[in-house]
Amino acid sequence: MKHTRVKDLLNSNNTLHEVNAKGWVRTFRNNQFIALNDGSTINNIQCVVDFENTAEETLKRITTGAAISVTGNLVESKGAGQKYEIQVKKLEILGDSDAEKFPMQPKKHSLEFLRENAHLRVRTNAFGAIMRIRSVLSFAVHSYFQQKGFVYVNTPIITGADAEGAGEMFQITSLPLNNLPKNEEGNIDYKKDFFGKHTNLTVSGQLEGETFAMALGQIYTFGPTFRAENSNTSRHLAEFWMIEPEVAFNNLDDNMDLAEDFIQYVIKFAMDKCGDDLKFLEGRLLDEEKSKPQAERSEMALLEKLNFVLENNFKRVSYTEAIDILRDCTPNKKKKFQYIINEWGADLQSEHERYLVEKHFKCPVILFDYPANIKAFYMRLNEDGKTVRAMDILFPGIGEIVGGSQREERFDVLVEKMKALGIDEEELWWYLDTRRFGSAVHSGFGLGFERLVLFVTGMTNIRDVIAFPRTPQNADF
Ligand code: ATP
Ligand code: MN
């Protein structure tokens, strides 16, 4: 007999004769009531065991974490909280679970403990919900761009470029590390390496993405990205997923419009499709808030916060305006910031970004026109000669969620910039070709997928929104 997913059973329009469900036992009460979950929904189905006619031996094996198969009628439930339940006629233990040793006990675990058990944490309500939402969000990403006629491009994960302009890189090699071949100058001879040159894991697909945008018009990438930055924060992973649209003939304003529309679309998509999971996570957060002092509690519940982002335009503010606000704000004057803002040109730290978003504007903010020397080489220089057409989108609780720009389309200006920064023109010859042949205004951005999932789920540590996080000193599982 084919089994039916719990979600479909719970959504049934009527009672059913003889159904089969398979899943894992969450709890077993009074030797009678099994809460069964199969991952199709956050909701368990109650399975009522006829304990008088079930062998004692079998009852003992219905333990938290065990895999079971139940067959019986789907009937209206007498208990509160569910419409239907299964009146079990036949119960089969598919896989025993040692109740004493099973780490996912039916109680609240710390997120730290759950990270150490990342292979089992997905069996909890919270992580089941997060991972279903993550899946729906990634579908939403494709749905948005495909509907608008963007072409999905898979840019390489192994890159021959040493400077993609976005962060510290992981080298990859097949050379024997304890016996490296040397050239005449005594340096490592990468000619003998697998690709005949020095290679890295990509930090961004943008440069390759631009070459495709200059042919296909509008493209997007959505793939894994690697950064060897030793920043042990709650917002950085060494391996994360990035979405990078790139659009020919878009200027920075078009780029902002696209980013804003895209973010609102995917959030709405998740709200429409993941109601139960979001409601659960909202409740979980409210519980957590209760244990915090009043001043630290957030002003909005999760769904309210998501709706707020849908209903309000992102505030667009120039870097120069932002610096004025920050210089004069109380935490800066009282030296409460770790990095004090003294003058124009300072790089903004996450504490400053969060001040702007959470305290000053109280809504998502798009900062634009940053000083050229704190941004990547490929951003378009403004007429003032000192700022570039960059934009960062800042979100409450997260800080930067998007980094993007209008690209420098002028060959001469770009080459001059690369020279000034010591970026090898020969290495990026192919990138410069886009400016040699039919160059045009174009723009794009990178959105860190996990930061988006953080925002939508209301979680606070990026390690909790990816299946198996990779961070400094940690590559378990
Ligand atoms: P940050 O200042 O937060 O380190 P960044 O300026 O290095 O970010 P970009 O190079 O602009 O970020 O990358 C684009 C987007 O990718 C960021 O806005 C962010 O959402 C995401 N991102 C960047 N680095 C990481 C990381 N280590 N882990 C997860 N997401 C990241
Ligand atoms: Mn970074």
Side-chain angles (χ1 to χ4, degrees):
M1 189 179 185
K2 224 178 132 24
H3 71 276
T4 309
R5 301 268 278 170
V6 167
K7 183 178 185 175
D8 297 330
L9 292 172
L10 293 173
N11 286 339
S12 174
N13 292 320
N14 39 267
T15 58
L16 294 166
H17 186 69
E18 284 272 300
V19 297
N20 174 244
K22 292 188 167 85
W24 294 268
V25 175
R26 282 290 171 82
T27 56
F28 184 37
R29 286 187 296 122
N30 300 348
N31 241 0
Q32 195 177 11
F33 303 108
I34 302 171
L36 187 72
N37 191 283
D38 71 351
S40 59
T41 154
I42 193 149
N43 300 307
N44 304 323
I45 192 158
Q46 172 157 288
C47 307
V48 186
V49 180
D50 176 6
F51 61 99
E52 278 164 355
N53 295 306
T54 305
E56 187 66 26
E57 210 28 55
T58 307
L59 290 174
K60 272 199 201 133
R61 293 170 64 197
I62 307 174
T63 54
T64 297
I68 63 169
S69 166
V70 294
T71 308
N73 293 336
L74 186 74
V75 301
E76 271 170 32
S77 177
K78 288 176 209 89
Q82 69 256 329
K83 192 165 158 215
Y84 294 119
E85 64 189 22
I86 298 174
Q87 207 80 55
V88 181
K89 283 192 215 152
K90 186 170 159 239
L91 186 145
E92 206 186 325
I93 308 285
L94 303 176
D96 288 289
S97 168
D98 185 335
E100 313 249 282
K101 293 202 183 118
F102 184 55
M104 299 296 115
Q105 295 295 323
K107 62 162 195 179
K108 209 170 155 65
H109 295 285
S110 75
L111 291 169
E112 190 54 53
F113 172 82
L114 292 170
R115 263 169 237 145
E116 287 159 14
N117 290 279
H119 61 306
L120 293 173
R121 68 178 177 174
V122 68
R123 295 197 195 185
T124 63
N125 282 331
F127 281 87
I130 293 164
M131 292 306 155
R132 277 186 299 269
I133 292 169
R134 183 180 164 114
S135 163
V136 166
L137 278 171
S138 68
F139 184 66
V141 169
H142 288 293
S143 164
Y144 179 83
F145 288 120
Q146 293 288 332
Q147 178 180 298
K148 288 198 170 318
F150 282 61
V151 177
Y152 179 39
V153 184
N154 300 119
T155 49
I157 287 169
I158 298 171
T159 176
D162 274 329
E164 290 177 321
E168 290 296 309
M169 302 181 108
F170 287 102
Q171 308 177 30
I172 60 163
T173 181
S174 62
L175 291 176
L177 290 181
N178 47 13
N179 184 22
L180 290 168
K182 298 280 166 66
N183 60 20
E184 276 155 21
E185 290 99 67
N187 298 323
I188 296 166
D189 187 2
Y190 286 108
K191 290 212 176 69
K192 299 225 167 68
D193 205 346
F194 189 92
F195 297 105
K197 64 185 293 194
H198 186 233
T199 48
N200 293 307
L201 289 177
T202 186
V203 292
S204 157
Q206 179 200 318
L207 303 187
E208 289 93 346
E210 283 186 49
T211 69
F212 269 58
M214 297 315 280
L216 299 170
Q218 7 180 47
I219 65 99
Y220 69 107
T221 72
F222 183 8
T225 314
F226 307 86
R227 296 194 184 175
E229 48 198 2
N230 209 345
S231 38
N232 227 329
T233 76
S234 56
R235 296 166 305 103
H236 288 92
L237 291 163
E239 175 181 290
F240 65 100
W241 287 65
M242 185 142 70
I243 297 141
E244 295 181 278
E246 191 70 39
V247 185
F249 317 118
N250 262 12
N251 64 23
L252 192 68
D253 290 321
D254 303 324
N255 205 28
M256 293 185 203
D257 293 342
L258 176 68
E260 188 167 340
D261 189 51
F262 166 65
I263 293 174
Q264 288 176 332
Y265 175 92
V266 294
I267 291 176
K268 172 92 174 31
F269 196 99
M271 290 176 82
D272 289 345
K273 298 269 190 307
C274 304
D276 286 350
D277 288 328
L278 286 168
K279 227 175 282 154
F280 173 83
L281 291 174
E282 174 171 272
R284 186 189 159 279
L285 278 174
L286 290 173
D287 274 350
E288 228 168 54
E289 295 271 299
K290 281 185 200 140
S291 62
K292 288 189 195 161
Q294 193 77 37
E296 282 170 35
R297 292 186 196 169
S298 58
E299 287 162 29
M300 285 188 224
L302 181 60
L303 289 163
E304 198 185 343
K305 192 181 75 171
L306 297 179
N307 267 317
F308 181 86
V309 170
L310 298 188
E311 285 158 11
N312 291 280
N313 291 334
F314 299 1
K315 179 89 185 149
R316 302 182 185 191
V317 186
S318 75
Y319 167 89
T320 303
E321 286 170 76
I323 284 292
D324 287 343
I325 293 165
L326 289 167
R327 213 172 7 207
D328 295 339
C329 75
T330 318
N332 198 56
K333 285 184 171 156
K334 292 200 167 159
K335 304 216 178 333
K336 288 273 156 62
F337 285 147
Q338 196 184 338
Y339 297 90
I340 303 302
I341 299 284
N342 289 318
E343 54 200 313
W344 194 92
D347 203 354
L348 300 185
Q349 306 295 326
S350 142
E351 56 182 346
H352 309 127
E353 297 174 342
R354 292 186 60 173
Y355 175 84
L356 290 170
V357 172
E358 289 159 27
K359 300 283 190 287
H360 190 85
F361 291 109
K362 295 183 191 287
C363 75
V365 172
I366 310 184
L367 288 188
F368 61 91
D369 284 351
Y370 281 75
N373 58 3
I374 59 171
K375 289 290 181 186
F377 71 93
Y378 47 70
M379 299 188 178
R380 194 183 196 284
L381 192 63
N382 276 312
E383 303 316 315
D384 63 12
K386 57 175 194 174
T387 60
V388 286
R389 302 247 75 193
M391 65 163 204
D392 279 5
I393 303 187
L394 314 178
F395 258 48
I398 310 277
E400 179 187 330
I401 191 164
V402 162
S405 65
Q406 183 177 319
R407 318 305 189 188
E408 183 55 77
E409 83 284 11
R410 298 164 297 182
F411 180 83
D412 297 343
V413 182
L414 185 59
V415 168
E416 202 175 307
K417 185 69 173 289
M418 286 169 68
K419 278 204 182 102
L421 293 173
I423 296 170
D424 192 356
E425 280 168 63
E426 257 153 57
E427 190 183 288
L428 289 181
W429 64 274
W430 54 272
Y431 182 68
L432 287 169
D433 265 3
T434 54
R435 274 64 168 176
R436 284 192 187 99
F437 308 111
S439 189
V441 164
H442 62 288
S443 298
F445 61 85
L447 175 134
F449 186 55
E450 284 74 20
R451 294 206 187 158
L452 174 71
V453 183
L454 266 185
F455 183 73
V456 173
T457 57
M459 299 302 288
T460 51
N461 192 319
I462 200 160
R463 294 167 175 81
D464 298 331
V465 296
I466 188 165
F468 298 106
R470 270 80 183 95
T471 50
Q473 299 298 310
N474 168 39
D476 286 341
F477 308 101

